[in-house]
Amino acid sequence: NMQNTQLLVMISILVVSLASVFIMITAALKPLKALTEVANELADGKMETPVVKESNDELGQLADVLERLRLSLKKSMEMLRRK
């Protein structure tokens, strides 16, 4: 009976651990997915949507670079249309 209880506790810990890892990975990938969508929009010539910076880490730095790229492309496109 004691072994069954220990096994149940270990399985419960494993399930909680796996759920926690899944939640953390999902949360970590959400900003990356958003930046990928923005990059795809830029590649398709859609430059209306600003890039939102959600953090100050490497993904935040990437968001800053993508926003500068978006603004630069938008400005270049507007200049070409005027000519």
Side-chain angles (χ1 to χ4, degrees):
N1 196 7
M2 180 71 151
Q3 288 178 340
N4 288 342
T5 303
Q6 288 176 339
L7 182 61
L8 183 59
V9 168
M10 289 182 354
I11 290 172
S12 298
I13 291 171
L14 179 63
V15 168
V16 169
S17 297
L18 289 174
S20 298
V21 168
F22 177 77
I23 290 169
M24 289 187 304
I25 289 173
T26 302
L29 291 179
K30 183 180 175 186
L32 188 57
K33 183 179 178 185
L35 291 176
T36 301
E37 289 174 9
V38 169
N40 282 324
E41 286 183 13
L42 289 174
D44 291 340
K46 300 174 186 171
M47 293 169 250
E48 301 80 26
T49 307
V51 180
V52 178
K53 179 178 178 177
E54 296 183 8
S55 64
N56 290 320
D57 60 5
E58 290 81 1
L59 290 177
Q61 292 173 2
L62 180 58
D64 285 339
V65 170
L66 284 174
E67 178 60 10
R68 287 191 356 243
L69 176 64
R70 181 189 74 83
L71 293 173
S72 178
L73 286 171
K74 186 176 179 181
K75 182 178 177 181
S76 295
M77 293 299 290
E78 288 171 356
M79 289 174 60
L80 286 171
R81 287 185 186 122
R82 289 186 198 142
K83 291 185 177 186

